[in-house]
Amino acid sequence: MTYLIGSERATISAGRKFRELLNAPGILRLPGAHNGQAALQARDAGFDALYLSGAAMTASMGLPDLGIITVDQVTFFIKQIVHASNLPLLVDGDTGYGETLNVMNMVRAFEDAGAGAVHLEDQLLPKKCGHLNDKKLATPHDMAMKVSAARKAAQDIVVIARTDAAASEGMDGAVDRAKLYIEAGADAIFPEALTNAEMFREFARRMPGVKLLANMTEFGRTPFYTASEFEDMGYSMVIWPVSSLRVANKAQADLYETIMRDGGTEAMLSRMQTREELYKTLRYHDYEALDKSIVETVLPSVDA
């Protein structure tokens, strides 16, 4: 009951909570949660923090990840995930939704909505998924200005700078940019779309003492590694950005195909979350107990 009951609200800011987790021993595991229900399920599985992916967000809205969405649309997702889970949330800030003042507005809006951390990337609009081809990059100086602006706007929120430079400027270019972004005020660096363990290790070796984030997205340029393997390579955080959405979308597609084929859903029942499981995840009865005018729900004997 993290949202409606005031005493359940955190006594420290989401940014400070995120920073404490980041500084704790071990790698911080950040599964993607594309809505409040996914956030609840991730929390129940034992995760201490979450990630909100721009790609998952836009896909859930039926849009491609091309920088189309607005700050206000993202804050809607932030609020529902934070209200549902009460976990510190790292949010994909894309390119900052504009230039210096826009970046500052984004940081303030995200922090006010409850985000604990945000990452900002050095692509130009229209931006693309980091694992796609022909990405256009801002100059290192322009990106450093955005990072500096984000730091000025931040109260407690953790600022992570992402660089997509490895694909076009090589390791030297990516490292040089990362060092400049740290000087500009970034708390951590996110080197995107590294393609093998040697690249991950080299980047970490050349950024001693810097907190680093690894992206373990499926169907991209990075081979599959576990959280412990990334930790051994020198990384402090790992995200699985779109995994929850991919699994949910595949299940939904199978459902609609089944209904079209069979005229019903019976063949999919074994793959469904039951009513009891849904209500347990939502803490349905806890909400009912807050309003004495609501008669406690009794589940049907046959789930429907």
Side-chain angles (χ1 to χ4, degrees), residues 66-112:
L66 293 171
I68 298 170
I69 56 177
T70 67
V71 168
D72 287 345
Q73 287 173 312
V74 180
T75 59
F76 171 80
F77 282 85
I78 294 172
K79 288 176 182 178
Q80 67 169 287
I81 290 168
V82 172
H83 288 169
S85 70
N86 199 30
L87 293 180
L89 177 68
L90 166 59
V91 180
D92 182 352
D94 282 343
T95 63
Y97 303 91
E99 299 306 318
T100 301
L101 296 179
N102 305 94
V103 169
M104 297 180 77
N105 177 65
M106 174 198 73
V107 170
R108 288 291 350 115
F110 285 9
E111 188 162 21
D112 289 346

mmCIF file of all heavy atoms in Angstrom, residues 66-112:
data_model
loop_
_atom_site.group_PDB
_atom_site.id
_atom_site.type_symbol
_atom_site.label_atom_id
_atom_site.label_comp_id
_atom_site.label_asym_id
_atom_site.label_seq_id
_atom_site.Cartn_x
_atom_site.Cartn_y
_atom_site.Cartn_z
ATOM 1 N N LEU A 66 11.779 6.633 -31.674
ATOM 2 C CA LEU A 66 12.418 7.643 -32.513
ATOM 3 C C LEU A 66 12.349 9.041 -31.890
ATOM 4 O O LEU A 66 12.400 10.050 -32.579
ATOM 5 C CB LEU A 66 11.781 7.663 -33.907
ATOM 6 C CG LEU A 66 12.004 6.405 -34.759
ATOM 7 C CD1 LEU A 66 11.142 6.450 -36.011
ATOM 8 C CD2 LEU A 66 13.476 6.265 -35.129
ATOM 9 N N GLY A 67 12.218 9.101 -30.572
ATOM 10 C CA GLY A 67 12.189 10.385 -29.890
ATOM 11 C C GLY A 67 10.895 11.145 -30.074
ATOM 12 O O GLY A 67 10.893 12.378 -30.028
ATOM 13 N N ILE A 68 9.791 10.433 -30.257
ATOM 14 C CA ILE A 68 8.507 11.067 -30.546
ATOM 15 C C ILE A 68 7.808 11.538 -29.274
ATOM 16 O O ILE A 68 7.113 12.550 -29.284
ATOM 17 C CB ILE A 68 7.596 10.082 -31.317
ATOM 18 C CG1 ILE A 68 8.228 9.714 -32.658
ATOM 19 C CG2 ILE A 68 6.203 10.669 -31.523
ATOM 20 C CD1 ILE A 68 7.529 8.576 -33.376
ATOM 21 N N ILE A 69 7.962 10.807 -28.183
ATOM 22 C CA ILE A 69 7.180 11.093 -26.987
ATOM 23 C C ILE A 69 7.661 12.355 -26.275
ATOM 24 O O ILE A 69 8.750 12.864 -26.541
ATOM 25 C CB ILE A 69 7.195 9.893 -26.022
ATOM 26 C CG1 ILE A 69 8.628 9.501 -25.654
ATOM 27 C CG2 ILE A 69 6.442 8.733 -26.617
ATOM 28 C CD1 ILE A 69 8.691 8.373 -24.658
ATOM 29 N N THR A 70 6.834 12.823 -25.347
ATOM 30 C CA THR A 70 7.106 14.071 -24.640
ATOM 31 C C THR A 70 7.462 13.806 -23.180
ATOM 32 O O THR A 70 7.226 12.715 -22.651
ATOM 33 C CB THR A 70 5.882 14.990 -24.686
ATOM 34 O OG1 THR A 70 4.822 14.387 -23.916
ATOM 35 C CG2 THR A 70 5.407 15.214 -26.114
ATOM 36 N N VAL A 71 7.985 14.827 -22.523
ATOM 37 C CA VAL A 71 8.311 14.729 -21.103
ATOM 38 C C VAL A 71 7.071 14.367 -20.295
ATOM 39 O O VAL A 71 7.121 13.502 -19.406
ATOM 40 C CB VAL A 71 8.927 16.051 -20.597
ATOM 41 C CG1 VAL A 71 9.003 16.063 -19.075
ATOM 42 C CG2 VAL A 71 10.314 16.250 -21.194
ATOM 43 N N ASP A 72 5.947 15.008 -20.578
ATOM 44 C CA ASP A 72 4.727 14.743 -19.813
ATOM 45 C C ASP A 72 4.256 13.299 -19.975
ATOM 46 O O ASP A 72 3.746 12.691 -19.020
ATOM 47 C CB ASP A 72 3.610 15.695 -20.235
ATOM 48 C CG ASP A 72 3.816 17.108 -19.734
ATOM 49 O OD1 ASP A 72 4.663 17.294 -18.828
ATOM 50 O OD2 ASP A 72 3.157 18.029 -20.246
ATOM 51 N N GLN A 73 4.413 12.749 -21.171
ATOM 52 C CA GLN A 73 4.026 11.356 -21.365
ATOM 53 C C GLN A 73 4.915 10.420 -20.542
ATOM 54 O O GLN A 73 4.437 9.440 -19.978
ATOM 55 C CB GLN A 73 4.096 10.989 -22.853
ATOM 56 C CG GLN A 73 2.979 11.607 -23.676
ATOM 57 C CD GLN A 73 3.157 11.372 -25.170
ATOM 58 O OE1 GLN A 73 4.235 11.585 -25.714
ATOM 59 N NE2 GLN A 73 2.093 10.954 -25.832
ATOM 60 N N VAL A 74 6.196 10.728 -20.464
ATOM 61 C CA VAL A 74 7.102 9.889 -19.672
ATOM 62 C C VAL A 74 6.776 9.991 -18.193
ATOM 63 O O VAL A 74 6.790 8.987 -17.469
ATOM 64 C CB VAL A 74 8.573 10.273 -19.931
ATOM 65 C CG1 VAL A 74 9.504 9.389 -19.103
ATOM 66 C CG2 VAL A 74 8.921 10.138 -21.413
ATOM 67 N N THR A 75 6.464 11.190 -17.707
ATOM 68 C CA THR A 75 6.166 11.331 -16.284
ATOM 69 C C THR A 75 4.925 10.534 -15.886
ATOM 70 O O THR A 75 4.827 10.070 -14.744
ATOM 71 C CB THR A 75 5.982 12.808 -15.875
ATOM 72 O OG1 THR A 75 4.908 13.391 -16.629
ATOM 73 C CG2 THR A 75 7.246 13.598 -16.096
ATOM 74 N N PHE A 76 4.001 10.345 -16.823
ATOM 75 C CA PHE A 76 2.838 9.492 -16.537
ATOM 76 C C PHE A 76 3.290 8.072 -16.212
ATOM 77 O O PHE A 76 2.805 7.450 -15.258
ATOM 78 C CB PHE A 76 1.891 9.481 -17.743
ATOM 79 C CG PHE A 76 0.767 8.479 -17.636
ATOM 80 C CD1 PHE A 76 -0.362 8.764 -16.889
ATOM 81 C CD2 PHE A 76 0.853 7.247 -18.276
ATOM 82 C CE1 PHE A 76 -1.396 7.837 -16.789
ATOM 83 C CE2 PHE A 76 -0.167 6.319 -18.176
ATOM 84 C CZ PHE A 76 -1.298 6.608 -17.435
ATOM 85 N N PHE A 77 4.234 7.548 -16.983
ATOM 86 C CA PHE A 77 4.762 6.205 -16.734
ATOM 87 C C PHE A 77 5.560 6.166 -15.434
ATOM 88 O O PHE A 77 5.467 5.204 -14.666
ATOM 89 C CB PHE A 77 5.633 5.748 -17.906
ATOM 90 C CG PHE A 77 4.869 5.278 -19.105
ATOM 91 C CD1 PHE A 77 4.422 6.181 -20.055
ATOM 92 C CD2 PHE A 77 4.599 3.940 -19.309
ATOM 93 C CE1 PHE A 77 3.715 5.753 -21.175
ATOM 94 C CE2 PHE A 77 3.896 3.498 -20.420
ATOM 95 C CZ PHE A 77 3.453 4.413 -21.356
ATOM 96 N N ILE A 78 6.381 7.192 -15.202
ATOM 97 C CA ILE A 78 7.183 7.238 -13.978
ATOM 98 C C ILE A 78 6.275 7.156 -12.758
ATOM 99 O O ILE A 78 6.507 6.361 -11.840
ATOM 100 C CB ILE A 78 8.029 8.523 -13.914
ATOM 101 C CG1 ILE A 78 9.082 8.537 -15.032
ATOM 102 C CG2 ILE A 78 8.716 8.646 -12.548
ATOM 103 C CD1 ILE A 78 9.823 9.863 -15.158
ATOM 104 N N LYS A 79 5.233 7.974 -12.746
ATOM 105 C CA LYS A 79 4.359 8.028 -11.575
ATOM 106 C C LYS A 79 3.676 6.695 -11.320
ATOM 107 O O LYS A 79 3.587 6.238 -10.175
ATOM 108 C CB LYS A 79 3.317 9.135 -11.751
ATOM 109 C CG LYS A 79 3.885 10.542 -11.630
ATOM 110 C CD LYS A 79 2.816 11.597 -11.910
ATOM 111 C CE LYS A 79 3.397 12.997 -11.832
ATOM 112 N NZ LYS A 79 2.377 14.040 -12.154
ATOM 113 N N GLN A 80 3.184 6.035 -12.375
ATOM 114 C CA GLN A 80 2.472 4.784 -12.126
ATOM 115 C C GLN A 80 3.422 3.706 -11.638
ATOM 116 O O GLN A 80 3.069 2.908 -10.747
ATOM 117 C CB GLN A 80 1.702 4.310 -13.371
ATOM 118 C CG GLN A 80 2.540 3.877 -14.542
ATOM 119 C CD GLN A 80 1.703 3.181 -15.607
ATOM 120 O OE1 GLN A 80 1.268 2.039 -15.437
ATOM 121 N NE2 GLN A 80 1.454 3.884 -16.699
ATOM 122 N N ILE A 81 4.646 3.671 -12.149
ATOM 123 C CA ILE A 81 5.607 2.651 -11.730
ATOM 124 C C ILE A 81 6.077 2.904 -10.303
ATOM 125 O O ILE A 81 6.151 1.977 -9.476
ATOM 126 C CB ILE A 81 6.797 2.613 -12.713
ATOM 127 C CG1 ILE A 81 6.330 2.038 -14.057
ATOM 128 C CG2 ILE A 81 7.950 1.798 -12.148
ATOM 129 C CD1 ILE A 81 7.332 2.206 -15.179
ATOM 130 N N VAL A 82 6.377 4.157 -9.973
ATOM 131 C CA VAL A 82 6.832 4.498 -8.625
ATOM 132 C C VAL A 82 5.712 4.320 -7.612
ATOM 133 O O VAL A 82 5.917 3.769 -6.523
ATOM 134 C CB VAL A 82 7.389 5.932 -8.590
ATOM 135 C CG1 VAL A 82 7.676 6.373 -7.167
ATOM 136 C CG2 VAL A 82 8.668 6.024 -9.431
ATOM 137 N N HIS A 83 4.498 4.756 -7.951
ATOM 138 C CA HIS A 83 3.373 4.583 -7.040
ATOM 139 C C HIS A 83 3.102 3.104 -6.784
ATOM 140 O O HIS A 83 2.796 2.707 -5.658
ATOM 141 C CB HIS A 83 2.123 5.230 -7.619
ATOM 142 C CG HIS A 83 2.154 6.723 -7.587
ATOM 143 N ND1 HIS A 83 1.222 7.504 -8.255
ATOM 144 C CD2 HIS A 83 2.993 7.604 -6.984
ATOM 145 C CE1 HIS A 83 1.502 8.779 -8.042
ATOM 146 N NE2 HIS A 83 2.560 8.865 -7.292
ATOM 147 N N ALA A 84 3.199 2.287 -7.816
ATOM 148 C CA ALA A 84 2.907 0.863 -7.671
ATOM 149 C C ALA A 84 3.964 0.143 -6.850
ATOM 150 O O ALA A 84 3.640 -0.686 -5.996
ATOM 151 C CB ALA A 84 2.782 0.211 -9.050
ATOM 152 N N SER A 85 5.222 0.440 -7.088
ATOM 153 C CA SER A 85 6.301 -0.374 -6.525
ATOM 154 C C SER A 85 7.037 0.251 -5.355
ATOM 155 O O SER A 85 7.651 -0.455 -4.545
ATOM 156 C CB SER A 85 7.323 -0.691 -7.618
ATOM 157 O OG SER A 85 8.048 0.483 -7.990
ATOM 158 N N ASN A 86 7.055 1.586 -5.283
ATOM 159 C CA ASN A 86 7.852 2.303 -4.289
ATOM 160 C C ASN A 86 9.334 1.942 -4.381
ATOM 161 O O ASN A 86 10.068 1.980 -3.383
ATOM 162 C CB ASN A 86 7.343 2.043 -2.866
ATOM 163 C CG ASN A 86 7.828 3.096 -1.876
ATOM 164 O OD1 ASN A 86 8.050 4.249 -2.243
ATOM 165 N ND2 ASN A 86 8.002 2.702 -0.627
ATOM 166 N N LEU A 87 9.792 1.599 -5.579
ATOM 167 C CA LEU A 87 11.203 1.283 -5.791
ATOM 168 C C LEU A 87 11.873 2.422 -6.552
ATOM 169 O O LEU A 87 11.238 3.092 -7.376
ATOM 170 C CB LEU A 87 11.351 -0.009 -6.605
ATOM 171 C CG LEU A 87 10.890 -1.299 -5.934
ATOM 172 C CD1 LEU A 87 11.100 -2.479 -6.886
ATOM 173 C CD2 LEU A 87 11.611 -1.537 -4.622
ATOM 174 N N PRO A 88 13.174 2.662 -6.297
ATOM 175 C CA PRO A 88 13.891 3.667 -7.078
ATOM 176 C C PRO A 88 13.962 3.258 -8.544
ATOM 177 O O PRO A 88 14.227 2.096 -8.866
ATOM 178 C CB PRO A 88 15.278 3.718 -6.436
ATOM 179 C CG PRO A 88 15.397 2.481 -5.629
ATOM 180 C CD PRO A 88 14.018 2.053 -5.255
ATOM 181 N N LEU A 89 13.727 4.236 -9.416
ATOM 182 C CA LEU A 89 13.561 3.957 -10.845
ATOM 183 C C LEU A 89 14.574 4.748 -11.658
ATOM 184 O O LEU A 89 14.681 5.968 -11.514
ATOM 185 C CB LEU A 89 12.147 4.354 -11.259
ATOM 186 C CG LEU A 89 11.761 4.210 -12.729
ATOM 187 C CD1 LEU A 89 11.704 2.731 -13.122
ATOM 188 C CD2 LEU A 89 10.408 4.881 -12.994
ATOM 189 N N LEU A 90 15.311 4.052 -12.522
ATOM 190 C CA LEU A 90 16.165 4.689 -13.526
ATOM 191 C C LEU A 90 15.341 4.875 -14.784
ATOM 192 O O LEU A 90 14.732 3.924 -15.287
ATOM 193 C CB LEU A 90 17.387 3.812 -13.825
ATOM 194 C CG LEU A 90 18.215 4.160 -15.074
ATOM 195 C CD1 LEU A 90 18.759 5.580 -15.016
ATOM 196 C CD2 LEU A 90 19.336 3.152 -15.279
ATOM 197 N N VAL A 91 15.315 6.106 -15.305
ATOM 198 C CA VAL A 91 14.472 6.440 -16.454
ATOM 199 C C VAL A 91 15.335 6.816 -17.655
ATOM 200 O O VAL A 91 16.323 7.540 -17.522
ATOM 201 C CB VAL A 91 13.520 7.604 -16.113
ATOM 202 C CG1 VAL A 91 12.635 7.949 -17.310
ATOM 203 C CG2 VAL A 91 12.670 7.263 -14.902
ATOM 204 N N ASP A 92 14.943 6.326 -18.803
ATOM 205 C CA ASP A 92 15.572 6.672 -20.074
ATOM 206 C C ASP A 92 15.149 8.087 -20.459
ATOM 207 O O ASP A 92 13.976 8.340 -20.734
ATOM 208 C CB ASP A 92 15.111 5.655 -21.126
ATOM 209 C CG ASP A 92 15.724 5.863 -22.493
ATOM 210 O OD1 ASP A 92 16.404 6.890 -22.705
ATOM 211 O OD2 ASP A 92 15.512 4.990 -23.360
ATOM 212 N N GLY A 93 16.116 9.013 -20.491
ATOM 213 C CA GLY A 93 15.828 10.399 -20.837
ATOM 214 C C GLY A 93 16.107 10.735 -22.286
ATOM 215 O O GLY A 93 16.096 11.926 -22.657
ATOM 216 N N ASP A 94 16.383 9.699 -23.110
ATOM 217 C CA ASP A 94 16.687 9.918 -24.522
ATOM 218 C C ASP A 94 17.733 11.033 -24.679
ATOM 219 O O ASP A 94 18.742 11.025 -23.986
ATOM 220 C CB ASP A 94 15.418 10.225 -25.312
ATOM 221 C CG ASP A 94 14.598 8.979 -25.607
ATOM 222 O OD1 ASP A 94 15.151 7.866 -25.491
ATOM 223 O OD2 ASP A 94 13.416 9.099 -25.949
ATOM 224 N N THR A 95 17.496 11.983 -25.548
ATOM 225 C CA THR A 95 18.468 13.061 -25.794
ATOM 226 C C THR A 95 18.186 14.298 -24.946
ATOM 227 O O THR A 95 18.814 15.340 -25.142
ATOM 228 C CB THR A 95 18.463 13.462 -27.279
ATOM 229 O OG1 THR A 95 17.171 13.978 -27.621
ATOM 230 C CG2 THR A 95 18.783 12.277 -28.171
ATOM 231 N N GLY A 96 17.221 14.188 -24.030
ATOM 232 C CA GLY A 96 16.893 15.321 -23.178
ATOM 233 C C GLY A 96 15.744 16.162 -23.672
ATOM 234 O O GLY A 96 15.457 17.218 -23.107
ATOM 235 N N TYR A 97 15.114 15.738 -24.786
ATOM 236 C CA TYR A 97 13.933 16.416 -25.333
ATOM 237 C C TYR A 97 14.232 17.843 -25.803
ATOM 238 O O TYR A 97 13.350 18.702 -25.793
ATOM 239 C CB TYR A 97 12.785 16.408 -24.308
ATOM 240 C CG TYR A 97 12.446 15.002 -23.889
ATOM 241 C CD1 TYR A 97 13.057 14.424 -22.785
ATOM 242 C CD2 TYR A 97 11.560 14.223 -24.629
ATOM 243 C CE1 TYR A 97 12.792 13.105 -22.418
ATOM 244 C CE2 TYR A 97 11.283 12.918 -24.277
ATOM 245 C CZ TYR A 97 11.903 12.364 -23.169
ATOM 246 O OH TYR A 97 11.643 11.055 -22.821
ATOM 247 N N GLY A 98 15.459 18.069 -26.218
ATOM 248 C CA GLY A 98 15.823 19.393 -26.711
ATOM 249 C C GLY A 98 17.231 19.760 -26.278
ATOM 250 O O GLY A 98 18.095 18.896 -26.122
ATOM 251 N N GLU A 99 17.445 21.035 -26.077
ATOM 252 C CA GLU A 99 18.772 21.511 -25.718
ATOM 253 C C GLU A 99 18.855 21.814 -24.218
ATOM 254 O O GLU A 99 18.104 21.257 -23.438
ATOM 255 C CB GLU A 99 19.124 22.734 -26.573
ATOM 256 C CG GLU A 99 19.162 22.426 -28.070
ATOM 257 C CD GLU A 99 20.071 21.261 -28.423
ATOM 258 O OE1 GLU A 99 21.195 21.168 -27.857
ATOM 259 O OE2 GLU A 99 19.665 20.411 -29.246
ATOM 260 N N THR A 100 19.748 22.697 -23.816
ATOM 261 C CA THR A 100 20.112 22.856 -22.409
ATOM 262 C C THR A 100 18.913 23.060 -21.495
ATOM 263 O O THR A 100 18.737 22.337 -20.501
ATOM 264 C CB THR A 100 21.089 24.036 -22.257
ATOM 265 O OG1 THR A 100 22.246 23.767 -23.067
ATOM 266 C CG2 THR A 100 21.515 24.194 -20.814
ATOM 267 N N LEU A 101 18.064 24.024 -21.789
ATOM 268 C CA LEU A 101 16.932 24.301 -20.917
ATOM 269 C C LEU A 101 15.927 23.154 -20.920
ATOM 270 O O LEU A 101 15.301 22.859 -19.892
ATOM 271 C CB LEU A 101 16.250 25.607 -21.315
ATOM 272 C CG LEU A 101 17.088 26.881 -21.160
ATOM 273 C CD1 LEU A 101 16.297 28.101 -21.608
ATOM 274 C CD2 LEU A 101 17.561 27.051 -19.719
ATOM 275 N N ASN A 102 15.786 22.487 -22.069
ATOM 276 C CA ASN A 102 14.885 21.335 -22.146
ATOM 277 C C ASN A 102 15.401 20.193 -21.270
ATOM 278 O O ASN A 102 14.613 19.495 -20.620
ATOM 279 C CB ASN A 102 14.754 20.855 -23.585
ATOM 280 C CG ASN A 102 14.324 21.953 -24.532
ATOM 281 O OD1 ASN A 102 15.168 22.596 -25.149
ATOM 282 N ND2 ASN A 102 13.023 22.201 -24.624
ATOM 283 N N VAL A 103 16.710 20.008 -21.274
ATOM 284 C CA VAL A 103 17.304 18.971 -20.428
ATOM 285 C C VAL A 103 17.024 19.268 -18.963
ATOM 286 O O VAL A 103 16.647 18.380 -18.183
ATOM 287 C CB VAL A 103 18.820 18.866 -20.683
ATOM 288 C CG1 VAL A 103 19.484 17.983 -19.624
ATOM 289 C CG2 VAL A 103 19.098 18.320 -22.073
ATOM 290 N N MET A 104 17.187 20.520 -18.570
ATOM 291 C CA MET A 104 16.934 20.892 -17.183
ATOM 292 C C MET A 104 15.465 20.681 -16.828
ATOM 293 O O MET A 104 15.144 20.179 -15.742
ATOM 294 C CB MET A 104 17.353 22.339 -16.945
ATOM 295 C CG MET A 104 18.847 22.570 -17.143
ATOM 296 S SD MET A 104 19.368 24.279 -16.867
ATOM 297 C CE MET A 104 19.360 24.332 -15.063
ATOM 298 N N ASN A 105 14.574 21.017 -17.728
ATOM 299 C CA ASN A 105 13.147 20.791 -17.503
ATOM 300 C C ASN A 105 12.853 19.301 -17.360
ATOM 301 O O ASN A 105 12.064 18.900 -16.484
ATOM 302 C CB ASN A 105 12.341 21.379 -18.665
ATOM 303 C CG ASN A 105 10.853 21.101 -18.525
ATOM 304 O OD1 ASN A 105 10.213 21.576 -17.602
ATOM 305 N ND2 ASN A 105 10.316 20.321 -19.447
ATOM 306 N N MET A 106 13.472 18.471 -18.187
ATOM 307 C CA MET A 106 13.280 17.032 -18.101
ATOM 308 C C MET A 106 13.715 16.504 -16.741
ATOM 309 O O MET A 106 12.983 15.739 -16.086
ATOM 310 C CB MET A 106 14.070 16.320 -19.194
ATOM 311 C CG MET A 106 14.031 14.801 -19.091
ATOM 312 S SD MET A 106 15.349 13.979 -20.017
ATOM 313 C CE MET A 106 16.779 14.363 -18.986
ATOM 314 N N VAL A 107 14.899 16.902 -16.302
ATOM 315 C CA VAL A 107 15.411 16.411 -15.024
ATOM 316 C C VAL A 107 14.485 16.808 -13.877
ATOM 317 O O VAL A 107 14.141 15.997 -13.015
ATOM 318 C CB VAL A 107 16.839 16.935 -14.784
ATOM 319 C CG1 VAL A 107 17.300 16.632 -13.351
ATOM 320 C CG2 VAL A 107 17.808 16.303 -15.779
ATOM 321 N N ARG A 108 14.049 18.059 -13.867
ATOM 322 C CA ARG A 108 13.162 18.503 -12.799
ATOM 323 C C ARG A 108 11.828 17.742 -12.850
ATOM 324 O O ARG A 108 11.295 17.325 -11.823
ATOM 325 C CB ARG A 108 12.892 20.007 -12.907
ATOM 326 C CG ARG A 108 14.052 20.884 -12.542
ATOM 327 C CD ARG A 108 14.470 20.918 -11.062
ATOM 328 N NE ARG A 108 13.602 20.287 -10.134
ATOM 329 C CZ ARG A 108 13.954 19.204 -9.421
ATOM 330 N NH1 ARG A 108 15.163 18.654 -9.575
ATOM 331 N NH2 ARG A 108 13.128 18.681 -8.563
ATOM 332 N N ALA A 109 11.281 17.578 -14.052
ATOM 333 C CA ALA A 109 10.000 16.885 -14.195
ATOM 334 C C ALA A 109 10.115 15.427 -13.758
ATOM 335 O O ALA A 109 9.245 14.900 -13.050
ATOM 336 C CB ALA A 109 9.509 16.967 -15.635
ATOM 337 N N PHE A 110 11.197 14.750 -14.163
ATOM 338 C CA PHE A 110 11.377 13.345 -13.807
ATOM 339 C C PHE A 110 11.582 13.192 -12.300
ATOM 340 O O PHE A 110 11.020 12.291 -11.670
ATOM 341 C CB PHE A 110 12.568 12.742 -14.551
ATOM 342 C CG PHE A 110 12.313 12.460 -16.011
ATOM 343 C CD1 PHE A 110 11.167 12.897 -16.655
ATOM 344 C CD2 PHE A 110 13.251 11.751 -16.764
ATOM 345 C CE1 PHE A 110 10.943 12.639 -18.002
ATOM 346 C CE2 PHE A 110 13.037 11.481 -18.107
ATOM 347 C CZ PHE A 110 11.889 11.918 -18.729
ATOM 348 N N GLU A 111 12.412 14.076 -11.712
ATOM 349 C CA GLU A 111 12.662 13.963 -10.279
ATOM 350 C C GLU A 111 11.388 14.262 -9.488
ATOM 351 O O GLU A 111 11.073 13.574 -8.513
ATOM 352 C CB GLU A 111 13.797 14.893 -9.860
ATOM 353 C CG GLU A 111 14.239 14.685 -8.417
ATOM 354 C CD GLU A 111 15.596 15.251 -8.101
ATOM 355 O OE1 GLU A 111 16.076 16.145 -8.837
ATOM 356 O OE2 GLU A 111 16.204 14.795 -7.110
ATOM 357 N N ASP A 112 10.648 15.259 -9.900
ATOM 358 C CA ASP A 112 9.395 15.591 -9.217
ATOM 359 C C ASP A 112 8.380 14.455 -9.338
ATOM 360 O O ASP A 112 7.542 14.265 -8.447
ATOM 361 C CB ASP A 112 8.791 16.882 -9.785
ATOM 362 C CG ASP A 112 9.582 18.122 -9.402
ATOM 363 O OD1 ASP A 112 10.434 18.027 -8.491
ATOM 364 O OD2 ASP A 112 9.362 19.175 -10.033
#
